[in-house]
Amino acid sequence: MTFEFDLVAEGSELRFEERGFERARFLLSEFQPALRVTLEGEPPSRIRVRAHGEPVAIAPGLLAQVEQLAGTTLRFELRT
């Protein structure tokens, strides 16, 4: 089973520095675990994640790491 969720920027947009998104994609792929991680919007304002298993929230420590890389606070939204 898979499910999708978005990590939505609380500010206006995501502000990844060089290679920051690749690091965030790696963290989500390894520790969520995610099948796919993409940026959505122009400019990007959300990270869309397709993950394995039953729908669950993202672990607080993992969210904090992704927020640091994204340069903004992120809000979890489960996609239905």
Side-chain angles (χ1 to χ4, degrees), residues 9-80:
E10 291 285 354
S12 58
E13 63 189 59
L14 303 169
R15 296 182 302 272
F16 287 103
E17 293 184 13
E18 186 175 334
R19 302 194 51 88
F21 177 67
E22 288 82 8
R23 177 75 178 139
R25 183 184 346 220
F26 171 78
L27 290 170
L28 290 163
S29 296
E30 289 295 311
F31 299 108
Q32 188 58 32
L35 296 168
R36 186 179 70 219
V37 180
T38 58
L39 290 175
E40 301 291 323
E42 190 57 48
S45 61
R46 61 182 58 222
I47 302 168
R48 180 150 303 150
V49 180
R50 176 171 286 197
H52 290 286
E54 298 292 323
V56 295
I58 187 170
L62 178 55
L63 179 59
Q65 288 181 298
V66 175
E67 286 177 330
Q68 184 176 17
L69 291 166
T72 190
T73 303
L74 300 169
R75 180 181 70 249
F76 177 88
E77 288 185 0
L78 186 62
R79 295 180 48 84
T80 55

